[in-house]
Amino acid sequence: MMKVLAFDTSSKALSVSILDGDDLLADITINIKKNHSVSLMPAIDFLMQSINWAPKDLDRIVVAEGPGSYTGLRVAVATAKMLAYSLKIELVGVSSLYALTAGVSDTDLVVPLMDARRNNVYIGFYENGRAIEPDHHAAFEEVLAFLKDKESVHFVGEVSAFRSQIEAALPNAQITETLPSAQAIGRLGQTLEAVNVDAFVPQYLKRVEAEENWLKTHEAGNTDNYVKRV
């Protein structure tokens, strides 16, 4: 069986799990606003010590690769790469949106979402635990329009800010607020091919705001002024 450390810091919540194959040995989820760069490693150390495992016991690191918080993703991916590289073990990235679908076992179209501000979302579309569309960034009005003819839809994840819009546009849809599950990505991550640790990067799906603002005031492809300013 594969011994796996899995974690997700792509949102406000922090989730860490340790699995031995399908067996969940230790798990922690903290849903308060904290600095993940400060709290992630202590959480990992606590769980490892709780089950009397040493770092050398691990076979694979599984990390939520995005989308989500720019800072949170950088913390998670940097930590995952450091651990995989230093321990000389495998690394796998799993969608942060998939991490929000854990525990939803019905046959509906499961739609995990994360609030991307200004009525935009990071959105996924899953059936039977598999993505049927690539995760992407979208205006929430576009998501509702896309789903208007679907018979059974179940929204999960960061749904509270969008509940009234969902109920107005899709009155039959189910709505369940869920937290990310490191356990879920740890299980899925055991079935996926390991990535190149050096080349692995977060899946932001959207430029950070500072980059977008810069591009608005500069012609695409013209880097002369930028180089001069730097």
Side-chain angles (χ1 to χ4, degrees):
M1 292 190 293
M2 188 175 292
K3 294 177 170 61
V4 170
L5 168 66
F7 49 88
D8 183 340
T9 64
S10 60
S11 64
K12 181 180 75 171
L14 176 151
S15 183
V16 183
S17 293
I18 300 175
L19 301 98
D20 190 358
D22 286 334
D23 295 332
L24 176 65
L25 303 184
D27 183 70
I28 187 171
T29 298
I30 303 171
N31 189 34
I32 57 175
K33 190 172 183 179
K34 292 180 71 71
N35 185 339
H36 292 323
S37 65
V38 173
S39 53
L40 177 57
M41 283 307 301
I44 292 172
D45 289 340
F46 171 73
L47 293 188
M48 293 285 287
Q49 292 175 17
S50 296
I51 62 172
N52 295 316
W53 276 18
K56 63 180 178 59
D57 294 320
L58 294 170
D59 299 313
R60 175 173 282 198
I61 304 295
V62 180
V63 64
E65 64 182 0
S69 159
Y70 180 75
T71 302
L73 289 175
R74 290 186 65 184
V75 168
V77 170
T79 303
K81 293 178 69 168
M82 178 271 294
L83 289 171
Y85 184 80
S86 61
L87 298 173
K88 296 180 172 57
I89 59 177
E90 296 176 339
L91 172 63
V92 170
V94 176
S95 165
S96 303
L97 289 168
Y98 175 83
L100 295 169
T101 68
V104 180
S105 58
D106 56 41
T107 57
D108 292 347
L109 172 62
V110 179
V111 182
L113 64 85
M114 300 175 75
D115 191 346
R117 300 193 303 174
R118 299 172 184 166
N119 211 42
N120 294 310
V121 291
Y122 297 113
I123 197 82
F125 301 95
Y126 288 78
E127 287 184 348
N128 300 315
R130 295 184 178 274
I132 60 171
E133 294 279 345
D135 295 346
H136 60 280
H137 176 271
F140 195 58
E141 296 92 337
E142 296 174 0
V143 174
L144 294 175
F146 174 76
L147 294 170
K148 66 179 181 178
D149 296 324
K150 303 293 183 181
E151 292 184 2
S152 300
V153 179
H154 192 163
F155 287 91
V156 298
E158 298 178 354
V159 295
S160 58
F162 305 95
R163 181 177 293 273
S164 61
Q165 295 180 70
I166 296 170
E167 291 174 344
L170 302 167
N172 294 322
Q174 294 189 67
I175 307 171
T176 305
E177 187 160 3
T178 59
L179 294 174
S181 170
Q183 176 184 347
I185 66 170
R187 286 205 166 95
L188 177 62
Q190 296 180 57
T191 69
L192 302 177
E193 185 175 347
V195 301
N196 181 306
V197 175
D198 292 332
F200 184 66
V201 294
Q203 300 300 310
Y204 296 116
L205 301 188
K206 179 182 179 293
R207 294 187 181 96
V208 296
E209 187 173 359
E211 185 180 359
E212 287 190 335
N213 290 339
W214 186 88
L215 289 171
K216 288 177 183 177
T217 58
H218 295 75
E219 293 182 12
N222 183 0
T223 59
D224 291 343
N225 290 337
Y226 175 70
V227 172
K228 289 176 182 177
R229 287 167 64 89
V230 173

